[in-house]
Amino acid sequence: MASENIRKWAIIPEPNSMTVGEGTVLLPYAGRVNESIAIDDGDFLLAHQLVADIRSATGTDWDIATGDMWSGFIRLRIADSWDFDSQDGDTAGAYTLTINTDGITITGCDFEGVRNGVQTLRQLIRQNGAVLPELQIADAPACQIRGYYLDATRGRVPTLAWLKQWADKLCLYKYNQLQLYIEHTFAFDGMSETWRGSSPLTPADTLEFDQYCANLGIELVPSVSTFGHQYVAMRTQELRELGEFPEDADRPFSFIERMRHHTLNVADDRAFAFSTQLVDSYLQLFRSKRFNICADETFDLGKGKSKQEVQRVGVAALYATYVGKLCEHLSKQGREPMFWGDIAIEMPEILETLPNNVTLLNWQYEPEATDEKIQLVAQAGAKQIVCPAVWGWNALLPRIDDAWNNISRIARYGIDCGAEGMLVTDWGDFGHVNDPRMAVPGMIFGAQYAWNPAGDTAENDLLERISRVEYGDCSARFVALLRNASAQAVFTWRELVEYLELDDGTGNCNTDVAQTIPCLADRLVDHLSDCGNAMTVREARNRMMRNMATTIERIPQANRALQQCMVDIAPIAAHMGNPGITAAVRIAMEGQLLLNRVGFALAEAHDVRDAHDAGDWRPSDYRALARELECWCEAYAKEWNATSQPSELHRIQETVWKAADELRRISK
C-alpha cells in the first residue's frame, strides 16, 4: 500500500529521510493552522500559504491562529533542541514533518526550516487534496546557499508582478537566494541615456521586491555589471570615452557584438568612479550584505585604450587590481563581495590576491563539465559558489538534457570540493528570446541537486516528478515531451542571428561576428592571404550553411517529430489547467517549426541541397513562409507581455522581419 502511494505523488527536492505509512489522513473540512510566534513570520505568511493551497485543492476555508490556547490540525513550530543531523553537520534549514491521525506537525530548527517543511506539505496538498499519506520526514539541505540567477537585462525586463510569481515558485522548491542580472536596465540617477527605452527597473520596484522576497525567506542579492558587459553604456554619448574602443560606439547594434565588446577601460581613473557610483547607489536598496560586481568576460581588456597599461603591468595584474579595489570598497561598507570567476580561473595568479571575504562565482555550463576548475579554486583556498545553467539561452525550447547533465554534475562537484552553495543561472543572450517560463524544469533540477546532490535520481524519473508536482500532469509525460520537442531544434535562434548579422549593415561581412562562428573563424585569415581581400557576406554565409549541411538534412524528419510532440502534448496540457504555460509551449514549438523551415530555405538558397525533400512546402513558398513568420511574431509578442516589460522585444521583432525580408529576396 505504501509503495502504491509513493507512485501517485512526489516531493521535490526529494527528502533525505522519509517513511511512508500504510494509512491516509483526511483533512478536516473546517481546520486551523497554528503557527508559533517563535517562528518570527511577522505576517504569518507560511500559514497563509497552506490555507491558500488547501482552499485551492479542497474548496474549504481554514482558520489561522497562534499561541498554545488555540488548537490546530496543522501545527508549525520551532524546535527547542535539534537532534537531526544534516548531511554536512549544519542544521540551518532543517525540518521534520509528521502526518498522522493526530494531525500534522512541522518542526524547524529555524524560520527557514519551518518554511522548507511548509513547502513540502504544500506539494503534498496540491497533489492529494484532502487525503494525505501518513508519513514522517526528517530533512535538511546539502547546500546552505541555493540560489537562482535571472538575466533581467539583455532583452527582457520582467514585470514586477511576474518577478513575484517567480519568487513564489522559487520558495515552493526551497530556494533561498535570488539575483537579478543588471547591465543597463536599472533607472540609475544621471544615466538616463543608458537606460532610456529599456523599460528599466526602478528603486521603488527593488524596495518592494526585496521585501517580498524577504517575507518568503529568499535573500535578494544585488548584482550589477561593473567592469565587462557595458555594451549599452559604452555606446552612449556621455560614457563612450570610458570604453576600450570608443571609436566603435556608433556601429549598428548587434546581439553578437553585445556579447563580445563591452569592456570598461579601467586604466582610466574615471572608470572606478563610474563603477562605484553604480555600486553605492544600488546597494542602498537591498537588505542583503552580499553584492555581486560580476566582472566577467572582460574580453577587450588590454586590447584598446588600456593596451599601454597592460604592456606595463600585465593583463592579470590590471584585472586583479581593479576587482580588488571594488571588493575593498564594498568591504569598507560592511558588504561581502562576489564576482564571476572565469577570468581569475584563466589566470590563476589572480586567485592568490583575493581577500578572505570575497566569494568567487565559478560558472561552468558544459553538459559534460569536469571538476577541474572547481578543484582549482578549492585548492587555492578561495570561497566559491558553483554555478550551472538551465540551458535556455538562444533558443525557443529549453535544452533539458543539457541542463540536467550540467546541473547534476556541478552540484556534486561543489559538495565534494566544499563549495558554499550553488547558484543556477538563467541567461538571455541574443535578446532573451527564451520565455522565462521555459526555464522551470531546469530551475527544479537546481532545487533537487542543491538540496540532495548525492541522491540516485535518474533524469527520466525527475522529469516525471516535475510533471506531477509542478504541472499537475497525472500522465507524468509533459516535461519528457517538452524535452523531446527541444531535441528537434535543428536551425535555432542562434543560427538565424548569426546568419543575419554576418552582414554588418553596409553589405560587408562583419568579421567580429564571423570570428564567433567556428567554421568561419579559422578561415578568415586564410581567405585574406589567399584572395588578397576580405571575405564577402555571400562567401561567409555560404560557408556557414555548407558547414550545417548534414544537420540541415534532418529538418523534414525533425519537423515531423516536433509536430507529433505537439499532438501528444495538447491533451495533456488541456487537463493541466495552466493556460499560460500551454500557450508558451505552443508558441515556442510553432516558432521552432518555422525556424527549421527557414534554415532549410536558406540552405537551398545557398545551393547546399536540392529541393526534392522539402516536405509539404517548396521554394515557391518562401513568401508564404515569410508571412507565417510575421504572423507568428505577433503571437509571440503577446506571450512576451505575459511576463515581461516591452524592453527589447522590438529587437526580436526586427530580427524576424529581417528573416522574412531575406526569404522574399531569395524567392525572386
Side-chain angles (χ1 to χ4, degrees):
M1 181 67 177
S3 61
E4 183 71 18
N5 283 341
I6 291 175
R7 284 196 293 270
K8 291 180 180 178
W9 48 265
I11 299 169
I12 307 174
E14 188 174 11
N16 290 287
S17 173
M18 179 169 66
T19 302
V20 182
E22 296 291 332
T24 58
V25 174
L26 179 65
L27 293 177
Y29 67 88
R32 178 183 293 131
V33 179
N34 186 302
E35 180 178 350
S36 170
I37 198 73
I39 295 170
D40 197 22
D41 175 18
D43 295 328
F44 297 97
L45 174 69
L46 301 178
H48 282 292
Q49 284 183 328
L50 288 168
V51 167
D53 277 330
I54 291 169
R55 182 184 301 112
S56 178
T58 71
T60 59
D61 287 315
W62 276 40
D63 191 18
I64 293 172
T66 190
D68 57 11
M69 297 296 292
W70 297 93
S71 63
F73 191 81
I74 298 176
R75 300 172 291 275
L76 312 180
R77 66 185 188 92
I78 294 285
D80 296 328
S81 61
W82 195 259
D83 57 8
F84 171 69
D85 293 327
S86 68
Q87 293 182 26
D88 60 1
D90 190 338
T91 60
Y95 71 94
T96 62
L97 167 63
T98 302
I99 303 176
N100 57 36
T101 54
D102 293 330
I104 300 170
T105 301
I106 294 172
T107 304
C109 66
D110 52 16
F111 167 81
E112 186 178 344
V114 179
R115 184 203 72 146
N116 293 335
V118 166
Q119 308 318 307
T120 297
L121 180 56
R122 291 176 67 201
Q123 291 184 20
L124 290 170
I125 291 168
R126 289 181 176 198
Q127 295 169 81
N128 294 283
V131 182
L132 302 180
E134 282 189 332
L135 55 71
Q136 285 187 311
I137 290 174
D139 203 10
C143 295
Q144 288 305 308
I145 295 175
R146 303 177 304 284
Y148 197 85
Y149 195 86
L150 178 65
D151 191 336
T153 209
R154 286 185 300 201
R156 283 182 191 268
V157 176
T159 64
L160 183 57
W162 187 83
L163 282 173
K164 290 179 178 180
Q165 292 175 29
W166 191 250
D168 290 337
K169 200 172 293 294
L170 293 177
C171 175
L172 180 65
Y173 294 105
K174 305 183 177 73
Y175 278 86
N176 62 4
Q177 187 183 111
L178 172 62
Q179 299 187 31
L180 302 180
Y181 176 54
I182 298 294
E183 290 176 10
H184 63 285
T185 53
F186 194 83
F188 289 106
D189 282 353
M191 293 183 62
S192 56
E193 189 187 2
T194 300
W195 50 254
R196 66 188 184 187
S198 69
S199 309
L201 293 168
T202 68
D205 294 331
T206 303
L207 292 171
E208 183 175 343
F209 190 50
D210 184 63
Q211 181 65 59
Y212 191 86
C213 288
N215 291 344
L216 293 170
I218 295 172
E219 179 186 12
L220 185 65
V221 175
S223 172
V224 66
S225 289
T226 59
F227 195 164
H229 290 286
Q230 293 290 346
Y231 181 76
V232 176
M234 297 302 100
R235 287 164 58 83
T236 64
Q237 295 292 331
E238 294 188 16
L239 296 171
R240 63 177 59 192
E241 290 301 320
L242 296 182
E244 285 280 6
F245 294 104
E247 64 271 19
D248 290 339
D250 292 322
R251 287 166 62 106
F253 175 88
S254 162
F255 284 132
I256 295 173
E257 288 186 39
R258 174 156 76 180
M259 301 302 298
R260 304 294 302 176
H261 301 301
H262 44 57
T263 307
L264 198 64
N265 169 22
V266 297
D268 188 324
D269 291 339
R270 295 173 297 174
F272 188 70
F274 168 75
S275 295
T276 54
Q277 177 188 355
L278 297 177
V279 168
D280 293 348
S281 56
Y282 203 45
L283 66 79
Q284 294 180 353
L285 305 174
F286 297 80
R287 67 192 65 204
S288 173
K289 293 300 182 183
R290 306 180 217 260
F291 197 106
N292 181 3
I293 61 172
C294 294
D296 57 315
E297 297 187 326
T298 52
F299 300 125
D300 288 333
L301 183 62
K303 297 178 180 178
K305 288 285 190 178
S306 69
K307 186 174 183 177
Q308 186 174 354
E309 182 67 10
V310 162
Q311 290 173 341
R312 188 178 71 84
V313 303
V315 67
L318 184 59
Y319 179 90
T321 298
Y322 196 76
V323 169
K325 284 174 61 180
L326 286 174
C327 290
E328 182 182 7
H329 180 79
L330 280 162
S331 298
K332 287 179 178 178
Q333 300 180 71
R335 305 286 169 152
E336 301 172 19
M338 296 174 155
F339 72 97
W340 298 109
D342 52 311
I343 304 301
I345 289 170
E346 286 177 13
M347 296 177 279
E349 61 268 35
I350 294 174
L351 295 174
E352 301 173 4
T353 70
L354 297 181
N356 292 331
N357 69 331
V358 174
T359 301
L360 186 140
L361 302 173
N362 195 346
W363 60 271
Q364 286 183 266
Y365 302 150
E366 301 87 355
E368 306 299 325
T370 69
D371 65 350
E372 181 180 359
K373 293 180 179 179
I374 298 172
Q375 289 275 14
L376 176 68
V377 176
Q379 290 166 5
K383 295 196 299 184
Q384 67 177 317
I385 291 174
V386 295
C387 308
V390 299
W391 272 87
W393 63 88
N394 298 345
L396 292 170
L397 291 164
R399 286 150 290 190
I400 289 175
D401 283 343
D402 289 339
W404 183 80
N405 277 302
N406 178 234
I407 292 169
S408 60
R409 288 170 183 268
I410 295 300
R412 288 193 295 270
Y413 300 156
I415 291 295
D416 292 344
C417 293
E420 297 199 332
M422 186 162 79
L423 183 67
V424 180
T425 62
D426 183 356
W427 296 106
D429 307 11
F430 293 18
H432 212 145
V433 71
N434 39 310
D435 190 307
R437 292 169 291 188
M438 293 296 178
V440 169
M443 178 272 284
I444 298 177
F445 292 164
Q448 171 63 49
Y449 289 105
W451 189 275
N452 189 1
D456 185 17
T457 304
E459 180 184 6
N460 286 336
D461 174 63
L462 188 49
L463 296 187
E464 290 180 2
R465 292 197 286 129
I466 294 171
S467 294
R468 291 184 184 277
V469 177
E470 170 61 23
Y471 297 107
D473 169 26
C474 295
S475 75
R477 297 178 60 215
F478 180 78
V479 182
L481 286 169
L482 185 60
R483 186 261 316 267
N484 296 345
S486 70
Q488 312 313 319
V490 179
F491 192 78
T492 68
W493 180 255
R494 181 189 185 100
E495 279 90 34
L496 179 64
V497 170
E498 288 174 339
Y499 181 92
L500 295 174
E501 290 196 359
L502 279 169
D503 186 332
D504 68 359
T506 67
N508 295 316
C509 179
N510 188 326
T511 55
D512 282 345
V513 171
Q515 287 169 359
T516 69
I517 303 173
C519 69
L520 297 179
D522 295 337
R523 183 60 183 150
L524 286 172
V525 176
D526 293 340
H527 188 280
L528 186 60
S529 61
D530 292 345
C531 305
N533 52 28
M535 186 181 293
T536 67
V537 175
R538 178 72 185 181
E539 288 167 333
R541 287 175 171 175
N542 277 341
R543 180 169 291 275
M544 175 185 171
M545 297 310 299
R546 283 198 300 272
N547 188 67
M548 293 188 68
T550 303
T551 305
I552 293 291
E553 293 292 335
R554 287 188 49 230
I555 285 177
Q557 177 184 356
N559 270 13
R560 286 191 289 270
L562 184 50
Q563 287 170 330
Q564 187 59 52
C565 286
M566 293 170 64
V567 169
D568 293 340
I569 211 168
I572 295 172
H575 288 89
M576 293 190 325
N578 189 339
I581 192 63
T582 300
V585 167
R586 176 65 185 275
I587 293 298
M589 289 185 176
E590 292 282 4
Q592 188 56 58
L593 282 170
L594 290 170
L595 283 175
N596 283 349
R597 291 172 59 192
V598 169
F600 202 92
L602 295 176
E604 290 179 352
H606 288 274
D607 300 320
V608 172
R609 54 164 287 104
D610 295 327
H612 69 276
D613 187 25
D616 59 355
W617 61 286
R618 296 290 182 266
S620 60
D621 292 320
Y622 289 170
R623 293 185 179 184
L625 178 56
R627 292 192 293 270
E628 288 184 62
L629 270 177
E630 289 159 344
C631 291
W632 172 83
C633 193
E634 290 302 303
Y636 174 86
K638 291 179 182 178
E639 281 308 305
W640 176 286
N641 295 332
T643 63
S644 309
Q645 304 273 11
S647 33
E648 293 186 29
L649 172 61
H650 67 96
R651 298 199 191 279
I652 290 177
Q653 293 172 314
E654 288 162 3
T655 301
V656 173
W657 298 337
K658 284 181 183 178
D661 291 344
E662 184 68 15
L663 289 168
R664 291 187 174 99
R665 186 188 65 79
I666 65 177
S667 71
K668 295 178 181 178

